Amino acid sequence: MGRPLRDLRISVTDRCNLRCPYCMPREVFGADYQFIDRSELLTFEEITRVARIISAQGVRKIRLTGGEPLLRAGLERLVEMLAGIDGIDDIALTTNGTALAPLASSLADAGLDRVTVSLDALEEEVFRSMSDTRGPLARVLEGIDAAREAGLAPVKINMVVRRGVNDHCVVSMAEHFRGRAEVLRFIEYMDVGESNGWRLEQVVPAGEILAAIEQRWPLEALAASHEGEVASRWAYCDGLGEIGVIHSVTQPFCQGCVRARLSAEGRLYTCLFARRGHDLRALLRGGGNDSQIASRINQIWTARADRYSELRSLRQPPEAGDPGVDGAAASAQAARQAAGRVEMSYIGG
Ligand code: SF4
């Protein structure tokens, strides 16, 4: 579809210390879940080699993800290695923030440019139900402050909105971050993977989220800040900052999707909703030289035709009476049963 390869999201672990039901439901990712064995994980040297090869093919931005990437020991060393690659001009990290405060400045010193923190509520009880842990909301807020102070700005805040769980917190989150340096983004709940039990009626459409905020503070649309930006941007008319909305379900953005994803064990994925990835580790550990790996990546990307979210919205008409969401969600139900999609925690959102 003529989309250039610009962004690489690198998952450095499939493990996480939270159990957000929309990503890693405890009943699936329980005590006996088989996470990737350490020996199967790409080493920092292997990750850097792939990043160096793929940057020669156009990748400019790298985002480190997980699971929870800060669970991978010595991540600063990887950041330093990636920061040394010509052509990579932006290194970002997506984290749940629980381990960010003590690491923010050393990550910045190593060459990290920006951080996105996943935070789904400010109310302790809602935070706990969205993360299914008795987790430390306070530590996440400390992490956000530490990231700002370390210059990892603008710190972006990602809030996944689920109807009946945290949708009543949309306005309070907006109020908290208005006028601050952080940029709050609302994410439509997505049918990622196979285990989150996604249902149509739990999606809060972008339009509804924006309408709730506009009741309090008028907004005006902003242009995208770069090619392939996933969030649509909205500024508060009174100048107190901006918000974003990531609307993969109701307004798919596959036409502008310039992202590839590398799993922690070296499989390259060309879509968040992919069913299979392409093994690069065998080449890395099997004596493949850089040009063989480069042509393999080229082969994978040039054959890419992924547009899952777009197809989701075209496939079937919605079930009668579905409020506010078009046919996308209904057909996704059917598609997901058939396909067996990769888990988001495995390729890092
Ligand atoms: S559904 Fe796939 S192709 Fe579409 S925007 Fe998401 S990752 Fe890109």
Side-chain angles (χ1 to χ4, degrees), residues 199-263:
R199 294 199 317 282
L200 164 66
E201 55 275 22
Q202 282 196 312
V203 176
V204 181
E208 199 175 314
I209 294 170
L210 291 168
I213 293 170
E214 283 227 287
Q215 269 174 9
R216 291 282 301 278
W217 309 284
L219 296 167
E220 60 194 354
L222 290 172
S225 58
H226 62 266
E227 180 189 19
E229 181 163 28
V230 289
S232 63
R233 302 170 59 215
W234 299 82
Y236 291 111
C237 294
D238 60 9
L240 286 184
E242 69 172 83
I243 59 169
V245 188
I246 299 175
H247 36 62
S248 159
V249 177
T250 59
Q251 299 158 48
F253 37 78
C254 301
Q255 289 303 327
C257 180
V258 293
R259 282 169 297 284
R261 293 168 169 87
L262 183 68
S263 76

Side-chain angles (χ1 to χ4, degrees), residues 29-310:
F29 298 89
D32 53 7
Y33 183 82
Q34 287 303 305
F35 289 101
I36 303 171
D37 188 80
R38 288 194 192 299
S39 63
E40 307 290 317
L41 292 174
L42 290 190
T43 63
F44 290 166
E45 289 71 19
E46 289 168 330
I47 292 172
T48 305
R49 186 176 172 207
V50 172
R52 183 172 41 73
I53 293 167
I54 210 168
S55 73
Q57 292 167 299
V59 163
R60 295 285 162 269
K61 188 173 106 172
I62 285 183
R63 179 172 291 277
L64 297 175
T65 67
E68 170 47 43
L70 297 180
L71 293 185
R72 180 91 185 245
L75 199 69
E76 299 95 317
R77 196 166 66 82
L78 174 60
V79 170
E80 207 167 343
M81 294 159 79
L82 295 171
I85 299 174
D86 279 348
I88 299 293
D89 49 31
D90 184 15
I91 302 175
L93 172 87
T94 297
T95 170
N96 65 29
T98 55
L100 183 56
L103 292 171
S105 58
S106 56
L107 287 165
D109 297 346
L112 189 68
D113 299 297
R114 297 177 303 110
V115 160
T116 298
V117 176
S118 306
L119 176 63
D120 300 323
L122 291 164
E123 295 75 7
E124 196 78 45
E125 271 323 299
V126 185
F127 174 85
R128 289 182 177 170
S129 56
M130 284 296 287
S131 62
D132 190 12
T133 60
R134 304 206 61 71
L137 172 57
R139 281 221 312 269
V140 178
L141 299 175
E142 284 160 23
I144 293 169
D145 293 344
R148 186 183 57 250
E149 280 139 32
L152 296 169
V155 176
K156 293 185 177 171
I157 311 295
N158 280 359
M159 174 187 184
V160 172
V161 182
R162 293 181 71 186
R163 194 181 297 287
V165 186
N166 68 338
D167 54 327
H168 62 289
C169 306
V170 163
V171 174
S172 57
M173 280 283 274
E175 185 155 37
H176 178 84
F177 287 104
R178 246 171 65 81
R180 290 174 53 126
E182 290 77 41
V183 176
L184 175 60
R185 292 116 56 90
F186 301 96
I187 303 181
E188 287 181 344
Y189 174 37
M190 291 183 282
D191 52 326
V192 286
E194 282 297 324
S195 53
N196 68 7
W198 185 88
R199 294 199 317 282
L200 164 66
E201 55 275 22
Q202 282 196 312
V203 176
V204 181
E208 199 175 314
I209 294 170
L210 291 168
I213 293 170
E214 283 227 287
Q215 269 174 9
R216 291 282 301 278
W217 309 284
L219 296 167
E220 60 194 354
L222 290 172
S225 58
H226 62 266
E227 180 189 19
E229 181 163 28
V230 289
S232 63
R233 302 170 59 215
W234 299 82
Y236 291 111
C237 294
D238 60 9
L240 286 184
E242 69 172 83
I243 59 169
V245 188
I246 299 175
H247 36 62
S248 159
V249 177
T250 59
Q251 299 158 48
F253 37 78
C254 301
Q255 289 303 327
C257 180
V258 293
R259 282 169 297 284
R261 293 168 169 87
L262 183 68
S263 76
E265 59 186 345
R267 302 184 77 81
L268 192 69
Y269 289 81
T270 54
C271 176
L272 176 58
F273 300 90
R275 276 175 290 189
R276 72 185 184 91
H278 308 269
D279 182 16
L280 296 181
R281 191 185 61 200
L283 271 174
L284 288 165
R285 294 185 180 176
N289 61 34
D290 287 3
S291 73
Q292 286 169 318
I293 296 168
S295 60
R296 181 76 188 106
I297 293 170
N298 190 309
Q299 215 179 27
I300 294 164
W301 188 259
T302 50
R304 178 198 190 214
D306 298 281
R307 53 191 189 110
Y308 173 83
S309 290
E310 225 171 67

